[in-house]
């Protein structure tokens, strides 16, 4: 699902609600924006990919933060457990999260 | 050493936790260490005599857990299960306690004798993290020690503890069982009771561990436990009941419940023993990454770094190169004057010195290239390169992780092919293996340096850079084609750790460079020396019996005749004789077969012939050319070096042909060592595919390049 675009494509995406928007409440890791923090609520997927996510520290209740995205917007860099992990958006979409509101 | 007692100790831990640097500190080995995950892809063995023991150390590949999903995890797990090491040293990255302990828990569950080494203790102190070592030790029921692997600190204490543990393991280790909460614990207890009764599985391991693995749905453990048909039906029934019970009480499946339980337990321990400072240990790395993985500047910086390394390889390498060249020349002419004029002397001067000499010249280039690569690896930039490149690699049907082996391919294809073991799926591995030979390895560099230097002078650096770029372009193209035709399948996940940036230690970089230099020299002493001698023999024999004209008589006549142009005529005659010698020799005949095949590419016969021994190792192309050009000449008279000989218009090599030759070298069949590695990693079928495919590609590519460049009059 392309969430970027210009002109007509962008407007079409907006109409269909496909364009990038700040995550509110809950959603997946892939939808989060740089600087947002969230709590993991569920790991989807199956088999190898799910295992890899779990092994790298994704589990229920863990806090994650999106640090940055790669120049081509994919993959994204996540702060988890005091370390940094690079993950593709397609895989980040398997992790359901609940946003932690930012207090300033 | 029969009076010494033998012990087997394994090192296990997360990727990039520094197992290899501890291994090196213990055994004095010089294994390659780098700051990116997955450097150790095979278990490595080293020895150390300590106290009254003869200890075998095994450095296992880094794993995050002990499931059987990727090859290196399997290697690690199988070793622990099958070889039953006396003690396992679990190396932990102090900065990443939580995830490290997740593996520790699994090791404890397996019932192994464990010593825990909190490595990179200097970093822990620096970042302000406080860890209560004694408490951790009590909670885990295993000794915990501080180490700094790359400075060899805490190693002796580690060995002492490991030995004590091996001597009286029972007394020292009282792992409290990992609890998963009352609900799951009951089920695990019930299931492990059943497993313990079962003969086919309890023979090998801790029943509790097996029970947990069964609940997690581990296929390897299942196959093993269910090998006995009679017991299988009963166990399957109990397992299904347990799983059903778990599912009825929770929305998650058993696998998640188990991991949640384990993480919960770990989190409890971490809360008790560790205090994290308010500042983030990644702060510094993040700031560096703000620049190095910048949205716009990231790629230019990456390209600039690569360009810098290759440019330095050529520009700085030029000076020591000239010194070595001169030295070899002196030795050759010196030997020529001292030794009697026999066939053996010819072999020594032209064959051995000429062959090996023309390769040793490139040693400085190799050293500088590996200095650059090891700096990239040790600093942690390599993982960022994978992060930057993932989207592009995705386009190739691969992921960023494949980029690391491919980048290593610039050094040498063999370790690069070995490094593909970190890739989880076989399909990714085979695709990467097929692409690696197209990445220009350092052995090809001497050929480029020679030809670019001879034909493109001041532009040599840029010409070589363009060859590298063409190699990358060919890789991209073939990846696209392969991943859409013969290797079509789903992609595997790309989740990778980005380690904090570290200052490369001088020692580590030196070890790394020395290893490469040693390998290069060893190759020269072995393969290249033999190839040079064989090639010389092929060029020297069979001796011509009857020349087309009587050169000896003519020369003698001229010497006596006092003609004004006698000198020139004599050297012409000698050259003609040399050419006849060569054409009559085995090499000449081989060249006659090869020449028509490479003639459309603009190569002369020497170039054609040199490609054949180039199969052994690509540097040999240069030494072969050295032998082929100087074979017929009298070494005393010739002050020409290889560069000048190539540029000599009589050789008939145009700039276009030189460039086409570099393209051919870039693309044609990988060297013998690479072929062996491909066979080992991907199988015979893919090996043959790779050999044939590369030859065809090289010919086609060189043909196209030669003809296009010729149009522009190069």
């Amino acid at each position: 699902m392309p969430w970027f675009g210009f002109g007509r494509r962008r407007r079409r995406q907006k109409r269909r609600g496909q364009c990038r928007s700040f995550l509110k409440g809950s959603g997946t890791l892939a939808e989060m924006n740089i600087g947002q923090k969230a709590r993991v609520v569920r790991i989807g997927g199956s088999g190898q990919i799910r295992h890899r996510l779990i092994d790298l520290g994704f589990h229920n209740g863990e806090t994650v933060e999106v640090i940055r995205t790669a120049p081509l917007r994919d993959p994204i860099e996540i702060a988890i457990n005091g370390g940094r992990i690079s993950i593709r958006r397609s895989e980040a979409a398997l992790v359901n999260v609940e946003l932690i509101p930012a207090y300033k | 050493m029969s009076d010494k007692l033998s012990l087997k100790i394994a090192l296990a831990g997360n990727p990039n936790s520094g197992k290899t640097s501890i291994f090196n500190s213990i055994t004095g080995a010089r294994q390659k260490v780098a700051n990116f995950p997955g450097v150790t892809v095979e278990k490595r063995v080293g020895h150390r005599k300590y106290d009254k023991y003869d200890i075998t150390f095994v450095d296992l590949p880094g794993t995050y857990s002990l499931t059987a999903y990727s090859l290196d995890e399997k290697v690690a797990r199988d070793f622990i299960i099958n070889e039953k090491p006396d003690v396992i040293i679990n190396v932990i990255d102090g900065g990443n306690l939580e995830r490290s302990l997740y593996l520790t828990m699994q090791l404890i569950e397996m019932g192994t004798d464990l010593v825990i080494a909190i490595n990179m203790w200097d970093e822990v102190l620096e970042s302000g993290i406080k860890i209560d070592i004694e408490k951790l030790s009590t909670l885990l029921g295993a000794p915990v020690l501080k180490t700094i692997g790359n400075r060899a600190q805490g190693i002796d204490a580690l060995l002492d503890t490991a030995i004590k543990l091996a001597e009286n393991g029972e007394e020292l280790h009282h792992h409290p069982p990992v609890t998963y909460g009352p609900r799951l614990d009951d089920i695990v207890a019930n299931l492990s009771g059943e497993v313990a009764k079962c003969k086919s599985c309890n023979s090998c391991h801790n029943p509790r561990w097996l029970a947990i693995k069964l609940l997690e749905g581990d296929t390897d453990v299942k196959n093993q436990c269910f090998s006995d048909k009679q017991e299988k039906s009963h166990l399957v029934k109990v397992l299904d009941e347990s799983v059903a019970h778990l599912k009825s009480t929770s929305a998650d499946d058993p696998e998640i419940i188990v991991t949640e339980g384990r993480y919960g337990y770990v989190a409890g321990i971490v809360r008790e023993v560790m205090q994290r400072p308010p500042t983030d240990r990644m702060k510094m790395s993040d700031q560096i990454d703000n620049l190095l993985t910048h949205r716009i500047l990231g790629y230019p910086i990456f390209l600039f770094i690569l360009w810098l390394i290759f440019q330095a390889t050529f520009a700085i390498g030029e000076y020591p190169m000239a010194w070595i060249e001169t030295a070899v020349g002196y030795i050759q002419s010196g030997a020529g004057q001292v030794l009697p004029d026999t066939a053996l002397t010819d072999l020594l001067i032209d064959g051995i010195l000429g062959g090996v000499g023309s390769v040793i010249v490139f040693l400085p280039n190799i050293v500088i290239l590996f200095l650059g690569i090891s700096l990239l690896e040790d600093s942690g930039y390599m993982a960022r390169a994978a992060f930057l490149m993932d989207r592009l690699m995705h386009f190739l049907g691969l992921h960023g992780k494949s980029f690391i082996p491919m980048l290593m391919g610039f050094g040498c294809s063999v370790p690069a092919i070995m490094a593909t073991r970190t890739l989880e799926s076989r399909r990714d591995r085979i695709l990467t293996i097929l692409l690696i030979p197209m990445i220009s390895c350092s052995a090809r560099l001497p050929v480029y340096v020679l030809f670019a230097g001879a034909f493109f002078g001041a532009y040599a650096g840029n010409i070589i850079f363009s060859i590298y770029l063409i190699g990358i372009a060919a890789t991209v193209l073939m990846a696209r084609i392969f991943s859409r035709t013969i290797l079509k399948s789903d992609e595997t996940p790309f989740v990778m750790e980005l380690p904090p940036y570290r200052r490369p230690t001088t020692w580590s970089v030196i070890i790394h460079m020395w290893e490469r230099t040693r390998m290069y020299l060893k190759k020269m002493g072995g393969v290249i020396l033999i190839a040079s001698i064989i090639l010389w023999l092929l060029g020297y024999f069979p001796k011509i019996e009857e020349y087309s004209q009587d050169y000896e008589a003519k020369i003698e006549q001229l010497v006596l005749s006092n003609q004004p142009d006698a000198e020139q005529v004599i050297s012409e005659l000698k050259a003609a004789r040399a050419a006849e010698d060569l054409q009559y020799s085995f090499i000449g005949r081989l060249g006659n077969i090869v020449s028509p095949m490479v003639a459309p590419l603009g190569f002369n016969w020497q170039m054609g012939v040199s490609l054949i021994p180039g199969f052994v190792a690509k540097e040999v192309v240069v030494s072969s050319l050295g032998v082929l050009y100087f074979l017929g000449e009298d070494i005393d008279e010739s002050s020409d070096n290889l560069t000048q000989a190539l540029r000599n218009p009589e050789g008939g090599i145009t700039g276009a042909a030189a460039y086409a030759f570099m393209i051919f070298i870039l693309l044609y069949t990988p060297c013998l060592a690479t072929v062996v590695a491909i066979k080992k990693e991907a199988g015979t079928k893919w090996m043959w595919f790779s050999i044939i495919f590369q030859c065809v590609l090289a010919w086609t590519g060189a043909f196209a390049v030669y003809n296009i460049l010729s149009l522009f009059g190069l």
Side-chain angles (χ1 to χ4, degrees):
Chain A
M1 182 184 76
W3 43 264
F4 55 88
F6 302 101
R8 193 188 298 165
R9 185 162 156 201
R10 175 77 179 178
R11 285 196 292 277
R12 192 175 65 216
Q13 283 174 4
K14 265 190 177 167
R15 207 166 51 240
R16 292 181 188 165
Q18 285 176 347
C19 65
R20 191 158 58 106
S21 61
F22 277 87
L23 179 65
K24 291 183 193 100
S26 60
T28 72
L29 189 57
E31 293 158 349
M32 285 168 65
N33 270 79
I34 295 172
Q36 284 191 314
K37 276 188 186 179
R39 204 173 282 115
V40 175
V41 290
R42 203 182 82 87
I43 318 278
S46 60
Q48 189 185 356
I49 170 63
R50 180 188 216 183
H51 246 277
R52 187 30 64 89
L53 289 173
I54 291 169
D55 288 346
L56 281 165
F58 289 94
H59 63 96
N60 298 359
E62 187 65 44
T63 314
V64 290
E65 182 186 345
V66 178
I67 300 294
R68 65 168 61 80
T69 69
L72 298 172
R73 298 240 164 238
D74 196 13
I76 51 180
E77 186 179 333
I78 305 284
I80 185 166
N81 254 330
R84 297 288 180 272
I85 278 167
S86 159
I87 182 172
R88 275 188 187 162
R89 282 183 193 273
S90 57
E91 281 132 22
L94 300 173
V95 181
N96 288 34
V97 293
E98 212 166 61
L99 211 61
I100 302 171
Y103 297 105
K104 284 193 178 170
Chain B
M1 288 286 129
S2 52
D3 56 328
K4 297 248 182 191
L5 299 161
S6 68
L7 272 183
K8 204 188 292 172
I9 297 180
L11 286 142
N14 282 175
N16 211 34
S17 61
K19 294 175 299 301
T20 306
S21 66
I22 287 194
F23 178 80
N24 285 349
S25 299
I26 294 174
T27 60
R30 283 183 294 265
Q31 293 292 352
K32 198 176 117 190
V33 183
N35 184 18
F36 66 81
V39 177
T40 308
V41 287
E42 238 183 354
K43 52 179 195 278
R44 283 168 174 154
V45 181
H47 296 273
R48 167 85 184 254
K49 289 183 177 64
Y50 191 83
D51 203 11
K52 57 179 190 279
Y53 292 99
D54 191 357
I55 312 174
T56 309
F57 284 91
V58 182
D59 183 19
L60 297 174
T63 60
Y64 292 111
S65 72
L66 293 170
T67 54
Y69 278 108
S70 76
L71 196 64
D72 32 348
E73 282 189 15
K74 245 181 224 168
V75 169
R77 186 167 106 170
D78 288 351
F79 182 83
I80 295 171
I81 293 177
N82 300 329
E83 307 271 320
K84 296 197 177 59
D86 296 293
V87 175
I88 293 177
I89 295 177
N90 179 204
V91 183
I92 280 179
D93 171 6
N96 218 325
L97 200 59
E98 195 160 6
R99 205 183 51 222
S100 308
L101 287 178
Y102 184 70
L103 177 70
T104 309
M105 285 302 128
Q106 299 182 52
L107 290 168
I108 288 176
E109 277 172 346
M110 284 177 89
T112 51
D113 282 341
L114 214 56
V115 180
I116 290 155
I118 301 192
N119 199 21
M120 309 195 219
W121 187 253
D122 47 344
E123 271 186 31
V124 173
L125 287 180
E126 225 170 85
S127 64
I129 295 173
K130 288 196 181 71
I131 300 174
D132 186 341
I133 299 278
E134 304 221 331
K135 203 165 192 182
L136 184 62
S137 174
T138 325
L139 288 172
L140 294 174
V144 179
L145 292 134
K146 308 173 237 184
T147 57
I148 304 172
N150 54 13
R151 290 192 217 141
Q153 287 179 25
I155 301 298
D156 284 348
L158 190 65
L159 286 178
D160 287 333
T161 316
I163 287 171
K164 223 190 284 169
L165 194 65
E167 279 168 349
N168 37 20
E170 306 308 312
E171 287 158 44
L172 266 169
H173 96 262
H174 304 282
H175 304 315
V178 181
T179 59
Y180 292 93
R183 189 165 48 110
L184 194 59
D185 279 346
D186 286 348
I187 291 170
V188 170
N190 180 30
L191 193 60
S192 66
E194 293 298 328
V195 171
K197 282 184 225 154
C198 152
K199 271 185 233 110
S200 59
C201 33
N202 87 20
S203 58
C204 69
H205 249 278
N206 190 323
R208 195 181 142 87
W209 181 74
L210 289 172
I212 290 164
K213 282 285 146 193
L214 283 176
L215 277 178
E216 283 184 319
D218 190 294
T219 41
D220 276 16
V221 170
K222 259 186 185 163
N223 289 340
Q224 191 208 345
C225 278
F226 297 160
S227 58
D228 189 318
K229 286 232 169 69
Q230 272 188 324
E231 289 165 344
K232 179 187 167 179
S233 55
H234 180 60
L235 207 55
V236 169
K237 208 179 108 213
V238 179
L239 179 62
D240 286 346
E241 274 171 15
S242 315
V243 170
H245 181 66
L246 272 177
K247 278 192 172 158
S248 68
T249 53
S250 163
D252 285 320
D253 52 36
E255 192 188 340
I256 292 291
I257 298 172
V258 170
T259 50
E260 286 308 325
R262 202 176 286 142
Y263 264 121
Y265 192 78
V266 170
I269 294 178
V270 171
R271 253 199 310 280
E272 284 198 47
V273 302
M274 188 172 85
Q275 275 179 303
R276 220 173 260 190
T279 53
D280 193 344
R281 75 171 179 133
M282 296 296 288
K283 199 175 160 196
M284 182 72 164
S285 283
D286 276 343
Q287 278 167 354
I288 297 173
D289 271 340
N290 280 342
L291 180 67
L292 292 187
T293 60
H294 186 268
R295 218 150 42 91
I296 296 156
L297 297 175
Y299 287 121
I301 291 174
F302 178 56
L303 268 181
F304 176 73
I305 290 173
L306 287 187
W307 178 83
L308 205 64
I309 289 172
F310 294 126
Q311 204 62 25
T313 303
F314 192 73
I316 302 173
E318 213 169 12
Y319 301 101
M321 242 176 95
W323 305 334
I324 298 175
E325 216 164 37
T326 318
V328 171
Y330 273 125
I331 296 170
Q332 273 182 319
S333 59
Q337 279 161 3
V338 173
L339 296 169
D341 190 14
T342 60
L344 210 63
T345 310
D346 279 355
L347 171 66
L348 182 72
I349 294 172
D350 297 341
I352 298 175
L353 283 173
V356 173
S358 45
V359 177
I360 201 170
V361 160
F362 299 102
L363 191 62
N365 301 100
I366 306 291
V367 170
I368 296 169
L369 181 67
F370 278 110
L371 172 68
I373 290 179
S374 62
L375 284 176
L376 288 191
E377 285 181 347
D378 291 3
S379 64
Y381 185 69
M382 213 65 132
R384 271 66 184 189
F387 177 69
L388 285 174
M389 297 308 289
D390 182 61
R391 191 64 192 80
L392 295 177
M393 297 301 280
H394 191 76
F395 174 77
L396 306 187
L398 283 169
H399 53 59
K401 251 185 170 179
S402 294
F403 190 74
I404 292 169
M406 283 188 171
L407 205 54
M408 285 169 77
F410 283 116
C412 175
S413 304
V414 178
I417 287 169
M418 300 290 288
T420 58
R421 289 200 177 183
T422 49
L423 307 175
E424 279 93 0
S425 90
R426 185 168 162 75
R427 177 251 173 204
D428 281 4
R429 293 183 58 213
I430 287 178
L431 182 52
T432 313
I433 287 170
L434 288 181
L435 296 177
I436 284 171
M438 275 180 274
I439 308 264
S440 193
C441 71
S442 60
R444 281 167 250 191
L445 190 62
V447 186
Y448 307 152
V449 174
L450 176 67
F451 276 81
F455 291 91
F456 302 100
Y459 304 105
N462 294 323
I463 290 285
I464 293 173
F465 189 57
S466 77
I467 296 281
Y468 275 93
L469 289 182
I470 289 172
I472 295 167
T475 312
V476 171
L477 188 72
M478 293 333 288
R480 290 285 282 185
I481 293 172
F482 285 153
S483 63
R484 266 161 191 71
T485 53
I486 46 173
L487 286 163
K488 216 164 150 183
S489 94
D490 296 334
E491 281 175 54
T492 44
F494 172 74
V495 194
M496 185 191 66
E497 204 194 340
L498 297 168
Y501 282 105
R502 298 194 169 103
R503 190 194 302 270
T505 58
T506 323
W507 184 233
S508 160
V509 171
I510 288 172
I511 283 175
H512 199 147
M513 273 169 55
W514 163 243
E515 266 308 289
R516 295 303 170 169
T517 313
R518 207 178 55 103
M519 259 171 73
Y520 188 74
L521 290 171
K522 219 167 126 189
K523 223 173 172 184
M524 223 154 26
V527 175
I528 293 172
L529 181 63
I530 292 166
S532 296
I533 293 172
I534 291 175
L535 209 70
W536 181 86
L537 290 173
L538 287 178
Y540 203 79
F541 296 105
K543 275 283 168 204
I544 209 160
E545 272 161 24
E546 217 171 296
Y547 291 103
S548 62
Q549 43 186 327
D550 193 351
Y551 289 108
E552 286 293 323
K554 279 195 177 178
I555 289 170
E556 227 161 279
Q557 208 182 340
L558 278 164
V559 170
L560 297 172
S561 72
N562 273 334
Q563 266 182 39
D565 58 345
E567 289 253 331
Q568 203 198 330
V569 181
I570 288 172
S571 66
E572 270 170 24
L573 280 172
K574 277 186 176 172
R577 182 177 60 182
E580 249 184 79
D581 272 334
L582 261 180
Q583 278 181 353
Y584 190 76
S585 71
F586 289 118
I587 283 247
R589 296 171 198 191
L590 204 60
N592 285 337
I593 300 168
V594 177
S595 316
M597 285 197 271
V598 294
L601 316 178
F603 302 173
N604 63 16
W605 71 271
Q606 284 102 331
M607 286 154 87
V609 172
S610 71
L611 292 174
I612 296 167
F615 175 69
V616 178
K618 295 222 170 157
E619 302 97 314
V620 182
V621 171
V622 173
S623 61
S624 307
L625 284 169
V627 173
L628 287 172
Y629 269 98
F630 294 125
L631 199 62
E633 287 179 32
D634 199 347
I635 203 82
D636 292 347
E637 277 180 20
S638 100
S639 56
D640 279 13
N641 59 25
L642 193 51
T643 311
Q644 280 159 344
L646 282 172
R647 214 165 20 193
N648 187 353
E650 281 169 34
I653 313 171
T654 61
Y659 201 81
F661 190 69
M662 288 191 266
I663 297 289
F664 197 92
I665 295 293
L666 169 72
L667 297 174
Y668 93 117
T669 310
C671 71
L672 201 59
T674 308
V675 168
V676 172
I678 294 176
K679 182 175 153 58
K680 215 173 128 203
E681 298 298 320
T684 316
K685 192 183 95 185
W686 290 111
M687 177 191 82
W688 284 113
F689 177 83
S690 180
I691 293 175
I692 293 162
F693 159 75
Q694 301 259 279
C695 277
V696 173
L697 184 72
W699 198 92
T700 322
F703 182 75
V705 164
Y706 176 64
N707 283 297
I708 292 167
L709 289 182
S710 293
L711 281 181
F712 290 101
L714 265 165

